[in-house]
Structures are given as structure tokens and as C-alpha cells.
């Protein structure tokens, strides 16, 4: 794993835990939001997976079990109820996650990354919309004043697809296995229940760990990127 000087927040527009972490960062740690490198984490479609493998990468993901999916719904329900947040759960039918996540690259290039993330999360968890439907992303483009066609068809653009592959390779290099995932130096923090520790780490400017094990063994092996505690998912 490389040492990253700029702190990174790997987020997924699919994940309710990423959504909750995003809300916390933006409402309670807005000053840190500008220091972070925001990196989208998404499950590759067959084309991205093939291009990724051609460059020696392999995405650390397998489909979440039905039992774990039920648990996540229950767990997020508890968290949002405690925080007074209403959730409208979307239904994902044959999702292509490049559609919303590569759209983020278009928005970020125009300095509208946070506005885009906020709008997509609102569409997904506030309105229950399908964010992998280009029409949803097109509507967000009109809302934000960003070219709707370029935004909604980002996954069809070779240069953005190539940038997406570079990001997926960074996922592998940084040892990311679920979201939300925070990286600074050699230090890694996974899940919303590690967000406070990550914030404390940044504010104290503590030196990151000087060494990490060459090989890490996963604890609580499951069937998805969110193997382990409930504070993170894919």
C-alpha cells in the first residue's frame, strides 16, 4: 500500500453508509471537506472489469448476500431514525454504476463535485430514484446547470472511462475493500464508526504508522466488499 500525503475519502453513491458519512463530513467537518481528495468507489461493469484486468487490477468485490442486505437495511434504518433522517429506499435493477460515478468526474472537473454528490444522494435515498438510469443523471444535470448529456453519458466517453479505470486501480493500490474508506499516509479507516478517528487523526496531524503488514488477513469474511462490522459497505 502506498503512502498518501493528501487524505482521501473513497465514497460510493450506491452505499447508504457513504451517504451518512458524507452528511457528517459536510455538516460537522466542512473545513476538512476541502482538504480531502474525493474518490468514487464503484463496482465495474464487464467492460471496466476487463480493462482493469488488462492492467493487472482486480476489483475486491462479490455480490452481497441476501442476509447481509437485510441487515444493512435494518442497521441503516436504526441510524437514520436516531438522526431524524427519512430514507426512501431505491430498487436497483441491472445497475451500471459507471453511470453516476463517472458523472461525478464531469461535475468535479467543473468545481461542482459536492453539489453533484449531494444531488445524487438526494435522488437515491431521498426520492428512491434509480441513479443508474441516465435520465436521472440528466435531470441532475439540468438542476445543476451542467451539460445534461455529457453528465448522463459519461460512461460512454472513452477519456472518462479511462479515468474510471485509473481510479479502480487506485482502489487496489490503496487496499480499499469497502466504503466509506479513508486514507492518509499509511493509515486506513473503514466505516462511519471510524470517521471520528479519521477526523481526529487529521486534526492532530499525528504521524501515520511507519510500517504496515505486508499481507493483511480479512476478519469476518463474507460475500461483499463490506466484510466485517456494519459501519461500511460497498
Amino acid at each position: 500500500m502506498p503512502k498518501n500525503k493528501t487524505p482521501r475519502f473513497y465514497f460510493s453513491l450506491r452505499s447508504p453508509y457513504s451517504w451518512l458519512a458524507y452528511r457528517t463530513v459536510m455538516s460537522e467537518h466542512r473545513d476538512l471537506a476541502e482538504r480531502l481528495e474525493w474518490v468514487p468507489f464503484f463496482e465495474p461493469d464487464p467492460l471496466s472489469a476487463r480493462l482493469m484486468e488488462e492492467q493487472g487490477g482486480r476489483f475486491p468485490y462479490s455480490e452481497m448476500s441476501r442476509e447481509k442486505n437485510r441487515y444493512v437495511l435494518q442497521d441503516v434504518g436504526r441510524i437514520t431514525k436516531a438522526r431524524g433522517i427519512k430514507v426512501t429506499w431505491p430498487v436497483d435493477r441491472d445497475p451500471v454504476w459507471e453511470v453516476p460515478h463517472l458523472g461525478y468526474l464531469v461535475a468535479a472537473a467543473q468545481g461542482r463535485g459536492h453539489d453533484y454528490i449531494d444531488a445524487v444522494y438526494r435522488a437515491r435515498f431521498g426520492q428512491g430514484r434509480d441513479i443508474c438510469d441516465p435520465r436521472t443523471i440528466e435531470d441532475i444535470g439540468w438542476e445543476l446547470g451542467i451539460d445534461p448529456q455529457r453528465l448522463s453519458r459519461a460512461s460512454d466517453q472513452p477519456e472518462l472511462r479511462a479515468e474510471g479505470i485509473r481510479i479502480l486501480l487506485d482502489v487496489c493500490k490503496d487496499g480499499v475493500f469497502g466504503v466509506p474508506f479513508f486514507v492518509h499516509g499509511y493509515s486506513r479507516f473503514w466505516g462511519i464508526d471510524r470517521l471520528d478517528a479519521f477526523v481526529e487523526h487529521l486534526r492532530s496531524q499525528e504521524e501515520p504508522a511507519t510500517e504496515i503488514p505486508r499481507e493483511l488477513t480479512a476478519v469476518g469474511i463474507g460475500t461483499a466488499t463490506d466484510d466485517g462490522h456494519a459501519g461500511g459497505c460497498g
Side-chain angles (χ1 to χ4, degrees), residues 53-68:
E53 289 176 2
E54 288 175 356
Q55 298 186 48
R58 182 175 179 273
F59 189 74
Y61 177 81
S62 59
E63 192 59 42
M64 185 183 298
S65 69
R66 181 177 299 178
E67 292 76 15
K68 195 158 195 177

Side-chain angles (χ1 to χ4, degrees), residues 64-226:
M64 185 183 298
S65 69
R66 181 177 299 178
E67 292 76 15
K68 195 158 195 177
N69 185 65
R70 289 196 188 111
Y71 177 81
V72 168
L73 293 175
Q74 186 182 80
D75 187 51
V76 172
R78 283 191 292 261
I79 296 171
T80 53
K81 182 178 180 180
R83 298 185 182 185
I85 302 170
K86 182 180 178 181
V87 183
T88 302
W89 288 105
V91 176
D92 300 322
R93 297 184 176 88
D94 301 318
V96 177
W97 296 108
E98 280 82 356
V99 172
H101 291 90
L102 296 187
Y104 165 76
L105 301 180
V106 175
Q110 299 184 30
R112 304 295 302 282
H114 292 319
D115 294 333
Y116 178 82
I117 293 172
D118 187 70
V120 174
Y121 277 145
R122 186 167 62 251
R124 179 164 174 76
F125 297 114
Q127 302 167 358
R129 299 186 67 183
D130 179 3
I131 62 171
C132 291
D133 184 341
R135 292 173 296 184
T136 299
I137 303 302
E138 184 174 340
D139 287 345
I140 290 172
W142 287 113
E143 175 187 340
L144 299 180
I146 301 173
D147 184 341
Q149 286 300 309
R150 179 165 172 75
L151 196 68
S152 63
R153 302 295 174 182
S155 61
D156 296 332
Q157 300 169 43
E159 72 278 11
L160 293 173
R161 176 74 69 155
E163 178 65 8
I165 299 304
R166 185 196 65 75
I167 288 170
L168 292 177
L169 293 173
D170 278 350
V171 164
C172 298
K173 292 176 184 176
D174 273 342
V176 182
F177 53 83
V179 285
F181 201 92
F182 310 97
V183 176
H184 184 231
Y186 291 121
S187 299
R188 269 71 178 150
F189 304 82
W190 170 50
I192 57 173
D193 56 355
R194 296 294 182 267
L195 175 56
D196 287 345
F198 174 65
V199 170
E200 182 180 357
H201 165 80
L202 293 182
R203 292 201 185 284
S204 66
Q205 294 296 296
E206 293 176 347
E207 289 296 326
T210 57
E211 295 182 359
I212 58 172
R214 286 183 175 274
E215 296 184 7
L216 299 179
T217 301
V219 177
I221 295 299
T223 56
T225 52
D226 57 330

